[in-house]
Amino acid sequence: MDYFEALKTPPTPQLDHQAHPPIPAPDAKDIGSVISFIKETCDDLYFTSDSDEPVELYQLSGAGLQMLESGADKLTLPNAHDFAEFVAGAVTPHEEGFVAEKRPVGEFFARLCAQQVSEQQKRLAESLEASFQKLPADPGSSAAYYRVGFLPNIEVYVVMLIDGQVLGIKTLSVET
């Protein structure tokens, strides 16, 4: 093969050595498998806003949720204001400019899936989205997407209630 023929030869595809093997879907009855699934799925996912931020596991025990819902007969995901009060810590959500929103989960995952660069990352994001649609078994415990904080740094939580625990993901949205 001469020099010009070598230029015409298509390059061999690069193998992605970072790719995960397929992650099995979690069993909703086994909280440990759900936690493992979320950790493994989020390993290579980033949320893109004005910066690229990692997507990480978020976990809140039932006791923490009961502090949110004191006096409630059944554990449910709180409204945006109550969730913001719980996660904000020393910062009060009553201050001017504080963002406390509860939005449809699909809105977050549409953005997350569109942002992923590799096909493997897109599959991981889609797999994570499917688990948030399928896992919450109780009618009142569907998943929720919360945005909490002061601009430009808004903390993003996408959570679901499983077996008395709030599980999900968190990331940071930098919005200037």
Side-chain angles (χ1 to χ4, degrees):
M1 173 183 323
D2 70 4
Y3 175 76
F4 293 104
E5 284 182 44
L7 290 177
K8 293 178 187 177
T9 307
T12 56
Q14 297 286 330
L15 295 177
D16 185 5
H17 297 290
Q18 302 290 335
H20 283 278
I23 301 170
D27 177 7
K29 294 178 178 83
D30 178 14
I31 199 76
S33 74
V34 175
I35 291 169
S36 294
F37 173 80
I38 293 172
K39 279 182 182 177
E40 290 179 43
T41 305
C42 290
D43 192 36
D44 284 337
L45 294 181
Y46 290 87
F47 185 76
T48 302
S49 52
D50 287 350
S51 70
D52 292 340
E53 299 293 334
V55 177
E56 303 170 324
L57 171 70
Y58 178 75
Q59 184 176 3
L60 177 66
S61 70
L65 185 60
Q66 285 175 339
M67 289 187 337
L68 281 173
E69 297 284 329
S70 60
D73 293 337
K74 181 181 175 190
L75 293 177
T76 59
L77 292 174
N79 63 39
H81 182 267
D82 290 345
F83 189 81
E85 279 187 342
F86 186 79
V87 299
V91 177
T92 174
H94 305 289
E95 292 182 37
E96 188 175 331
F98 190 84
V99 174
E101 300 173 341
K102 186 175 182 180
R103 294 183 172 183
V105 173
E107 185 180 312
F108 172 81
F109 282 111
R111 184 172 173 187
L112 181 70
C113 292
Q115 294 172 346
Q116 302 310 307
V117 177
S118 73
E119 286 303 313
Q120 177 67 19
Q121 287 174 314
K122 288 179 184 175
R123 283 193 299 276
L124 289 171
E126 290 166 356
S127 177
L128 191 59
E129 178 182 21
S131 72
F132 272 82
Q133 292 174 350
K134 153 186 130 168
L135 284 175
D138 298 329
S141 67
S142 62
Y145 164 29
Y146 298 98
R147 292 171 31 87
V148 176
F150 288 99
L151 290 172
N153 298 321
I154 303 295
E155 293 178 3
V156 175
Y157 299 85
V158 182
V159 296
M160 57 189 153
L161 182 62
I162 297 178
D163 196 25
Q165 291 192 35
V166 176
L167 292 176
I169 57 177
K170 73 175 187 171
T171 190
L172 184 66
S173 180
V174 179
E175 302 171 8
T176 56

